[in-house]
Amino acid sequence: MSSTSPHGSVADGFRDAMAGLASGVCVVTTAAGGILAGLTTTAVMSVSLDPPLVAVGVDRSSRTLAPLREARRFAVHVLPHDREEVATVFASKAPDKFAGRAVRPGLGGVPVLTEDARHVLECETWAEFEAGDHVLLVGRVVQVHSAVADQGRALVHFDRAFHQVGAARAPSAQPPANDPPRDRP
């Protein structure tokens, strides 16, 4: 094993280490003052089952942070394997990331992408924490929507690239009815 310190930057080593951690890809959306906003992130994690809480890390420089703080509501869209283009658009500085997308208003007017998610978690901001160059928003999940066409495969980000994980399901196959692990929702 080699070390990037002291000869290399800890930040560079940290970036490389995190690139080796496969993470689910999500789009987070909100609306404030009639303006729709959204971003792509892999910094999403379940926090609690009772109450249902999810945490989202948002870069302080993100144009979506101010609308998220103002609205105090957001939707987390878990992307399926075939929505890399959606992830790319919401990661960009495009002026209208919602153009050409099927969107409906969720609770409090938060935009819900109706054709681009395996699951959607509609949330109310429960807590906010300063975390270095990011803000950690914890949302209380108030509504969950299942996918339009969940084929059992998900989009992940690993080694600075998008990948697919999971096995394709037969169209009539139902997901197994397993309880979530007890130590994690």
Side-chain angles (χ1 to χ4, degrees), residues 53-85:
L53 300 175
V54 63
V56 178
V58 182
D59 191 306
R60 288 181 186 278
S61 68
S62 172
R63 295 179 304 168
T64 304
L65 181 57
L68 282 165
R69 285 177 154 165
E70 181 181 334
R72 302 207 39 84
R73 291 181 179 268
F74 56 92
V76 177
H77 302 77
V78 180
L79 297 186
H81 72 285
D82 59 353
R83 295 303 194 275
E84 182 178 330
E85 181 270 335

Side-chain angles (χ1 to χ4, degrees), residues 24-169:
V25 181
C26 296
V27 166
V28 176
T29 60
T30 194
I35 305 295
L36 306 183
L39 59 86
T40 298
T41 184
T42 58
V44 174
M45 70 176 213
S46 61
V47 175
S48 169
L49 188 56
D50 187 18
L53 300 175
V54 63
V56 178
V58 182
D59 191 306
R60 288 181 186 278
S61 68
S62 172
R63 295 179 304 168
T64 304
L65 181 57
L68 282 165
R69 285 177 154 165
E70 181 181 334
R72 302 207 39 84
R73 291 181 179 268
F74 56 92
V76 177
H77 302 77
V78 180
L79 297 186
H81 72 285
D82 59 353
R83 295 303 194 275
E84 182 178 330
E85 181 270 335
V86 175
T88 302
V89 167
F90 278 87
S92 75
K93 303 260 189 234
D96 183 2
K97 298 174 183 181
F98 296 87
R101 306 230 173 271
V103 179
R104 71 161 178 80
L107 300 173
V110 170
V112 173
L113 305 173
T114 59
E115 297 176 3
D116 293 320
R118 292 187 72 200
H119 302 282
V120 180
L121 309 172
E122 290 192 63
C123 304
E124 296 174 341
T125 301
W126 189 76
E128 182 179 315
F129 302 97
E130 303 299 318
D133 60 3
H134 278 61
V135 172
L136 191 64
L137 296 175
V138 178
R140 184 175 65 84
V141 180
V142 294
Q143 189 142 14
V144 179
H145 308 280
S146 294
V148 173
D150 182 3
Q151 298 174 356
R153 293 179 286 167
L155 184 65
V156 297
H157 199 256
F158 170 74
D159 202 21
R160 297 178 175 87
F162 292 110
H163 302 274
Q164 298 178 23
V165 296
R169 285 194 200 125

